[in-house]
Amino acid sequence: DNLTDPSQHTQPTLIGFYLQILGDVVRGALNNGMTTTQALAEIQTVLTNLLSAQSSYGWNGLMPWLDLGPIGRHENKVALGDNANLAQSLAVLVGALESSGLSGADLTSAQQITTQVDQFLNNQAAGYAAFVDGPTGLFRGDYSWTTNPATGTFSNYIDRLANEFRGAIAFLKVRFPALPSTVWDNLVIVT
């Protein structure tokens, strides 16, 4: 049962961390036994599967937690923070690739990866816009549904500057300039 076996599901944040690790392998900052070419191939595989899962299981481009065996939505819910973390990790990955001094076939692979990242992030724009709460100007925390994704409900808010998502929220505002500045400016400083 995937609900009781945590090894059978993953969250968008962790997928992003894995891609950052692979980016460090390509950049030469980490040795995990993979060659640069192998790490680039793994990144492309992850991104291809991520784009497929985004299309099949996502909501407005945003990713739920995923069951891994077999692949599917872990629950009918998407969380803003996890998706923001994944988006920021994708930017870190692209930065690692751009600073790695690749050439030849590896450079071509890195350019293809950047295109996939742009496609994935562009697909997320509608989801982030939908998460903005009009009255507060803040991002809501999650969106869940029972049977129909179009009739779900939002809950919680990303409302504090002192939380694990603050860097990712700043990244979203920069990457998606159409988002209102309130998603960042209205965060409360709570210590």
mmCIF file of all heavy atoms in Angstrom, residues 54 58-63 78-80 83 120-133 139-140 143 154 172 176 179:
data_model
loop_
_atom_site.group_PDB
_atom_site.id
_atom_site.type_symbol
_atom_site.label_atom_id
_atom_site.label_comp_id
_atom_site.label_asym_id
_atom_site.label_seq_id
_atom_site.Cartn_x
_atom_site.Cartn_y
_atom_site.Cartn_z
ATOM 1 N N GLN A 54 3.394 15.883 -15.342
ATOM 2 C CA GLN A 54 2.734 17.186 -15.258
ATOM 3 C C GLN A 54 1.474 17.184 -16.119
ATOM 4 O O GLN A 54 0.417 17.660 -15.709
ATOM 5 C CB GLN A 54 3.704 18.277 -15.715
ATOM 6 C CG GLN A 54 3.183 19.690 -15.590
ATOM 7 C CD GLN A 54 4.172 20.705 -16.140
ATOM 8 O OE1 GLN A 54 4.696 20.545 -17.239
ATOM 9 N NE2 GLN A 54 4.425 21.760 -15.377
ATOM 10 N N GLY A 58 -0.886 16.463 -13.152
ATOM 11 C CA GLY A 58 -0.798 17.799 -12.585
ATOM 12 C C GLY A 58 -2.127 18.538 -12.598
ATOM 13 O O GLY A 58 -3.111 18.100 -13.194
ATOM 14 N N TRP A 59 -2.138 19.669 -11.937
ATOM 15 C CA TRP A 59 -3.290 20.567 -11.918
ATOM 16 C C TRP A 59 -2.790 21.948 -12.311
ATOM 17 O O TRP A 59 -1.941 22.514 -11.613
ATOM 18 C CB TRP A 59 -3.920 20.591 -10.519
ATOM 19 C CG TRP A 59 -5.045 21.575 -10.399
ATOM 20 C CD1 TRP A 59 -6.349 21.385 -10.773
ATOM 21 C CD2 TRP A 59 -4.967 22.912 -9.891
ATOM 22 N NE1 TRP A 59 -7.073 22.525 -10.531
ATOM 23 C CE2 TRP A 59 -6.242 23.480 -9.991
ATOM 24 C CE3 TRP A 59 -3.921 23.679 -9.376
ATOM 25 C CZ2 TRP A 59 -6.519 24.781 -9.574
ATOM 26 C CZ3 TRP A 59 -4.196 24.976 -8.981
ATOM 27 C CH2 TRP A 59 -5.481 25.511 -9.069
ATOM 28 N N ASN A 60 -3.246 22.455 -13.443
ATOM 29 C CA ASN A 60 -2.785 23.759 -13.950
ATOM 30 C C ASN A 60 -1.258 23.834 -13.982
ATOM 31 O O ASN A 60 -0.668 24.872 -13.677
ATOM 32 C CB ASN A 60 -3.355 24.908 -13.134
ATOM 33 C CG ASN A 60 -4.810 25.165 -13.441
ATOM 34 O OD1 ASN A 60 -5.306 24.823 -14.510
ATOM 35 N ND2 ASN A 60 -5.518 25.761 -12.511
ATOM 36 N N GLY A 61 -0.628 22.741 -14.334
ATOM 37 C CA GLY A 61 0.818 22.698 -14.444
ATOM 38 C C GLY A 61 1.559 22.399 -13.158
ATOM 39 O O GLY A 61 2.769 22.222 -13.171
ATOM 40 N N LEU A 62 0.857 22.372 -12.048
ATOM 41 C CA LEU A 62 1.494 22.105 -10.754
ATOM 42 C C LEU A 62 1.410 20.625 -10.431
ATOM 43 O O LEU A 62 0.450 19.947 -10.785
ATOM 44 C CB LEU A 62 0.853 22.942 -9.652
ATOM 45 C CG LEU A 62 0.902 24.457 -9.878
ATOM 46 C CD1 LEU A 62 0.276 25.187 -8.701
ATOM 47 C CD2 LEU A 62 2.319 24.949 -10.132
ATOM 48 N N MET A 63 2.437 20.137 -9.754
ATOM 49 C CA MET A 63 2.601 18.707 -9.507
ATOM 50 C C MET A 63 2.102 18.293 -8.122
ATOM 51 O O MET A 63 2.377 18.965 -7.133
ATOM 52 C CB MET A 63 4.087 18.338 -9.593
ATOM 53 C CG MET A 63 4.722 18.581 -10.945
ATOM 54 S SD MET A 63 4.049 17.526 -12.210
ATOM 55 C CE MET A 63 4.482 15.931 -11.550
ATOM 56 N N VAL A 78 -2.420 19.397 -4.686
ATOM 57 C CA VAL A 78 -1.150 20.011 -5.062
ATOM 58 C C VAL A 78 -0.818 21.075 -4.022
ATOM 59 O O VAL A 78 -1.711 21.738 -3.498
ATOM 60 C CB VAL A 78 -1.171 20.629 -6.488
ATOM 61 C CG1 VAL A 78 -1.323 19.570 -7.547
ATOM 62 C CG2 VAL A 78 -2.257 21.678 -6.631
ATOM 63 N N ALA A 79 0.448 21.200 -3.704
ATOM 64 C CA ALA A 79 0.903 22.160 -2.704
ATOM 65 C C ALA A 79 1.779 23.211 -3.357
ATOM 66 O O ALA A 79 2.675 22.883 -4.139
ATOM 67 C CB ALA A 79 1.658 21.441 -1.594
ATOM 68 N N LEU A 80 1.501 24.455 -3.044
ATOM 69 C CA LEU A 80 2.255 25.563 -3.620
ATOM 70 C C LEU A 80 3.733 25.468 -3.260
ATOM 71 O O LEU A 80 4.604 25.600 -4.115
ATOM 72 C CB LEU A 80 1.659 26.893 -3.139
ATOM 73 C CG LEU A 80 2.226 28.187 -3.713
ATOM 74 C CD1 LEU A 80 3.497 28.664 -3.162
ATOM 75 C CD2 LEU A 80 2.015 28.316 -5.161
ATOM 76 N N ASN A 83 5.809 22.880 -5.180
ATOM 77 C CA ASN A 83 5.989 23.259 -6.573
ATOM 78 C C ASN A 83 6.946 24.437 -6.711
ATOM 79 O O ASN A 83 7.759 24.478 -7.634
ATOM 80 C CB ASN A 83 4.634 23.557 -7.221
ATOM 81 C CG ASN A 83 3.939 22.286 -7.634
ATOM 82 O OD1 ASN A 83 4.174 21.763 -8.703
ATOM 83 N ND2 ASN A 83 3.088 21.758 -6.750
ATOM 84 N N PHE A 120 8.492 23.222 -18.824
ATOM 85 C CA PHE A 120 7.877 22.829 -17.560
ATOM 86 C C PHE A 120 7.438 24.052 -16.767
ATOM 87 O O PHE A 120 6.298 24.121 -16.279
ATOM 88 C CB PHE A 120 8.847 21.971 -16.739
ATOM 89 C CG PHE A 120 8.241 21.457 -15.476
ATOM 90 C CD1 PHE A 120 7.490 20.293 -15.477
ATOM 91 C CD2 PHE A 120 8.395 22.135 -14.282
ATOM 92 C CE1 PHE A 120 6.904 19.806 -14.312
ATOM 93 C CE2 PHE A 120 7.814 21.670 -13.106
ATOM 94 C CZ PHE A 120 7.073 20.505 -13.125
ATOM 95 N N LEU A 121 8.339 25.037 -16.634
ATOM 96 C CA LEU A 121 8.007 26.239 -15.862
ATOM 97 C C LEU A 121 6.888 27.033 -16.528
ATOM 98 O O LEU A 121 5.980 27.529 -15.840
ATOM 99 C CB LEU A 121 9.247 27.110 -15.668
ATOM 100 C CG LEU A 121 10.336 26.525 -14.766
ATOM 101 C CD1 LEU A 121 11.559 27.421 -14.762
ATOM 102 C CD2 LEU A 121 9.820 26.285 -13.359
ATOM 103 N N ASN A 122 6.923 27.173 -17.838
ATOM 104 C CA ASN A 122 5.852 27.883 -18.536
ATOM 105 C C ASN A 122 4.510 27.212 -18.297
ATOM 106 O O ASN A 122 3.483 27.885 -18.160
ATOM 107 C CB ASN A 122 6.146 27.991 -20.035
ATOM 108 C CG ASN A 122 7.293 28.935 -20.332
ATOM 109 O OD1 ASN A 122 7.657 29.778 -19.522
ATOM 110 N ND2 ASN A 122 7.890 28.781 -21.497
ATOM 111 N N ASN A 123 4.506 25.875 -18.243
ATOM 112 C CA ASN A 123 3.267 25.137 -17.976
ATOM 113 C C ASN A 123 2.722 25.425 -16.581
ATOM 114 O O ASN A 123 1.536 25.249 -16.322
ATOM 115 C CB ASN A 123 3.490 23.627 -18.113
ATOM 116 C CG ASN A 123 3.763 23.186 -19.534
ATOM 117 O OD1 ASN A 123 3.560 23.913 -20.492
ATOM 118 N ND2 ASN A 123 4.259 21.961 -19.668
ATOM 119 N N GLN A 124 3.583 25.841 -15.657
ATOM 120 C CA GLN A 124 3.165 26.095 -14.281
ATOM 121 C C GLN A 124 2.521 27.470 -14.073
ATOM 122 O O GLN A 124 1.883 27.697 -13.056
ATOM 123 C CB GLN A 124 4.362 25.997 -13.336
ATOM 124 C CG GLN A 124 4.881 24.601 -13.107
ATOM 125 C CD GLN A 124 5.916 24.601 -11.998
ATOM 126 O OE1 GLN A 124 6.842 25.404 -11.986
ATOM 127 N NE2 GLN A 124 5.747 23.705 -11.049
ATOM 128 N N ALA A 125 2.672 28.382 -15.010
ATOM 129 C CA ALA A 125 2.238 29.767 -14.813
ATOM 130 C C ALA A 125 0.774 29.874 -14.378
ATOM 131 O O ALA A 125 0.449 30.603 -13.430
ATOM 132 C CB ALA A 125 2.491 30.586 -16.077
ATOM 133 N N ALA A 126 -0.114 29.154 -15.041
ATOM 134 C CA ALA A 126 -1.542 29.236 -14.703
ATOM 135 C C ALA A 126 -1.801 28.743 -13.279
ATOM 136 O O ALA A 126 -2.650 29.299 -12.566
ATOM 137 C CB ALA A 126 -2.370 28.430 -15.704
ATOM 138 N N GLY A 127 -1.094 27.722 -12.853
ATOM 139 C CA GLY A 127 -1.272 27.202 -11.504
ATOM 140 C C GLY A 127 -0.873 28.207 -10.440
ATOM 141 O O GLY A 127 -1.595 28.407 -9.455
ATOM 142 N N TYR A 128 0.275 28.846 -10.641
ATOM 143 C CA TYR A 128 0.702 29.847 -9.650
ATOM 144 C C TYR A 128 -0.277 31.016 -9.602
ATOM 145 O O TYR A 128 -0.610 31.506 -8.526
ATOM 146 C CB TYR A 128 2.122 30.328 -9.942
ATOM 147 C CG TYR A 128 3.160 29.254 -9.716
ATOM 148 C CD1 TYR A 128 4.091 28.948 -10.701
ATOM 149 C CD2 TYR A 128 3.210 28.545 -8.526
ATOM 150 C CE1 TYR A 128 5.037 27.958 -10.500
ATOM 151 C CE2 TYR A 128 4.161 27.548 -8.319
ATOM 152 C CZ TYR A 128 5.068 27.265 -9.309
ATOM 153 O OH TYR A 128 6.001 26.289 -9.111
ATOM 154 N N ALA A 129 -0.748 31.458 -10.758
ATOM 155 C CA ALA A 129 -1.726 32.552 -10.789
ATOM 156 C C ALA A 129 -2.995 32.156 -10.046
ATOM 157 O O ALA A 129 -3.577 32.961 -9.307
ATOM 158 C CB ALA A 129 -2.025 32.941 -12.230
ATOM 159 N N ALA A 130 -3.435 30.907 -10.217
ATOM 160 C CA ALA A 130 -4.655 30.441 -9.551
ATOM 161 C C ALA A 130 -4.492 30.363 -8.037
ATOM 162 O O ALA A 130 -5.478 30.455 -7.300
ATOM 163 C CB ALA A 130 -5.056 29.070 -10.105
ATOM 164 N N PHE A 131 -3.278 30.206 -7.553
ATOM 165 C CA PHE A 131 -3.028 30.095 -6.117
ATOM 166 C C PHE A 131 -3.054 31.433 -5.390
ATOM 167 O O PHE A 131 -3.068 31.484 -4.165
ATOM 168 C CB PHE A 131 -1.686 29.400 -5.860
ATOM 169 C CG PHE A 131 -1.819 27.943 -5.514
ATOM 170 C CD1 PHE A 131 -1.967 26.990 -6.506
ATOM 171 C CD2 PHE A 131 -1.799 27.524 -4.195
ATOM 172 C CE1 PHE A 131 -2.091 25.657 -6.198
ATOM 173 C CE2 PHE A 131 -1.921 26.182 -3.870
ATOM 174 C CZ PHE A 131 -2.071 25.241 -4.875
ATOM 175 N N VAL A 132 -3.047 32.547 -6.135
ATOM 176 C CA VAL A 132 -3.049 33.858 -5.488
ATOM 177 C C VAL A 132 -4.445 34.160 -4.943
ATOM 178 O O VAL A 132 -5.434 34.107 -5.670
ATOM 179 C CB VAL A 132 -2.603 34.971 -6.474
ATOM 180 C CG1 VAL A 132 -2.695 36.341 -5.800
ATOM 181 C CG2 VAL A 132 -1.194 34.713 -6.974
ATOM 182 N N ASP A 133 -4.515 34.465 -3.665
ATOM 183 C CA ASP A 133 -5.763 34.829 -3.014
ATOM 184 C C ASP A 133 -5.994 36.324 -3.202
ATOM 185 O O ASP A 133 -5.174 37.136 -2.760
ATOM 186 C CB ASP A 133 -5.677 34.489 -1.522
ATOM 187 C CG ASP A 133 -6.909 34.899 -0.760
ATOM 188 O OD1 ASP A 133 -8.008 34.414 -1.096
ATOM 189 O OD2 ASP A 133 -6.769 35.716 0.174
ATOM 190 N N PHE A 139 -0.122 33.781 -1.619
ATOM 191 C CA PHE A 139 -0.351 32.452 -2.163
ATOM 192 C C PHE A 139 -1.106 31.627 -1.128
ATOM 193 O O PHE A 139 -0.790 31.666 0.066
ATOM 194 C CB PHE A 139 0.976 31.730 -2.443
ATOM 195 C CG PHE A 139 1.647 32.126 -3.720
ATOM 196 C CD1 PHE A 139 2.961 32.567 -3.694
ATOM 197 C CD2 PHE A 139 0.999 32.030 -4.944
ATOM 198 C CE1 PHE A 139 3.620 32.899 -4.868
ATOM 199 C CE2 PHE A 139 1.641 32.364 -6.124
ATOM 200 C CZ PHE A 139 2.959 32.803 -6.093
ATOM 201 N N ARG A 140 -2.070 30.857 -1.593
ATOM 202 C CA ARG A 140 -2.681 29.867 -0.725
ATOM 203 C C ARG A 140 -1.755 28.654 -0.681
ATOM 204 O O ARG A 140 -0.902 28.486 -1.549
ATOM 205 C CB ARG A 140 -4.066 29.506 -1.236
ATOM 206 C CG ARG A 140 -5.033 30.704 -1.017
ATOM 207 C CD ARG A 140 -6.322 30.515 -1.695
ATOM 208 N NE ARG A 140 -6.157 30.847 -3.112
ATOM 209 C CZ ARG A 140 -7.127 31.233 -3.899
ATOM 210 N NH1 ARG A 140 -8.350 31.343 -3.432
ATOM 211 N NH2 ARG A 140 -6.908 31.497 -5.168
ATOM 212 N N TYR A 143 -4.232 23.004 -2.787
ATOM 213 C CA TYR A 143 -5.505 22.848 -3.490
ATOM 214 C C TYR A 143 -5.797 21.359 -3.539
ATOM 215 O O TYR A 143 -4.942 20.566 -3.939
ATOM 216 C CB TYR A 143 -5.391 23.412 -4.909
ATOM 217 C CG TYR A 143 -6.656 23.297 -5.736
ATOM 218 C CD1 TYR A 143 -7.667 24.229 -5.606
ATOM 219 C CD2 TYR A 143 -6.814 22.263 -6.648
ATOM 220 C CE1 TYR A 143 -8.826 24.147 -6.363
ATOM 221 C CE2 TYR A 143 -7.979 22.166 -7.416
ATOM 222 C CZ TYR A 143 -8.975 23.117 -7.267
ATOM 223 O OH TYR A 143 -10.119 23.020 -8.025
ATOM 224 N N PHE A 154 -9.133 25.476 -1.919
ATOM 225 C CA PHE A 154 -7.830 25.914 -1.418
ATOM 226 C C PHE A 154 -7.861 25.920 0.102
ATOM 227 O O PHE A 154 -8.920 26.113 0.710
ATOM 228 C CB PHE A 154 -7.523 27.335 -1.895
ATOM 229 C CG PHE A 154 -7.212 27.439 -3.354
ATOM 230 C CD1 PHE A 154 -8.187 27.847 -4.252
ATOM 231 C CD2 PHE A 154 -5.951 27.134 -3.834
ATOM 232 C CE1 PHE A 154 -7.904 27.963 -5.603
ATOM 233 C CE2 PHE A 154 -5.658 27.239 -5.184
ATOM 234 C CZ PHE A 154 -6.643 27.653 -6.075
ATOM 235 N N LEU A 172 9.684 32.696 -7.671
ATOM 236 C CA LEU A 172 8.458 32.713 -8.472
ATOM 237 C C LEU A 172 8.103 34.121 -8.914
ATOM 238 O O LEU A 172 7.700 34.335 -10.058
ATOM 239 C CB LEU A 172 7.284 32.121 -7.690
ATOM 240 C CG LEU A 172 7.315 30.628 -7.400
ATOM 241 C CD1 LEU A 172 6.039 30.211 -6.669
ATOM 242 C CD2 LEU A 172 7.505 29.803 -8.662
ATOM 243 N N PHE A 176 7.957 34.735 -12.813
ATOM 244 C CA PHE A 176 6.611 34.989 -13.321
ATOM 245 C C PHE A 176 6.207 36.415 -12.949
ATOM 246 O O PHE A 176 5.461 36.637 -11.989
ATOM 247 C CB PHE A 176 5.615 33.973 -12.734
ATOM 248 C CG PHE A 176 5.965 32.542 -13.036
ATOM 249 C CD1 PHE A 176 6.619 31.752 -12.099
ATOM 250 C CD2 PHE A 176 5.651 31.983 -14.265
ATOM 251 C CE1 PHE A 176 6.948 30.434 -12.376
ATOM 252 C CE2 PHE A 176 5.978 30.659 -14.560
ATOM 253 C CZ PHE A 176 6.633 29.889 -13.616
ATOM 254 N N LEU A 179 2.752 37.757 -11.670
ATOM 255 C CA LEU A 179 2.243 37.539 -10.311
ATOM 256 C C LEU A 179 2.290 38.866 -9.556
ATOM 257 O O LEU A 179 3.240 39.640 -9.714
ATOM 258 C CB LEU A 179 3.083 36.494 -9.576
ATOM 259 C CG LEU A 179 2.959 35.059 -10.070
ATOM 260 C CD1 LEU A 179 4.019 34.180 -9.407
ATOM 261 C CD2 LEU A 179 1.559 34.514 -9.807
#
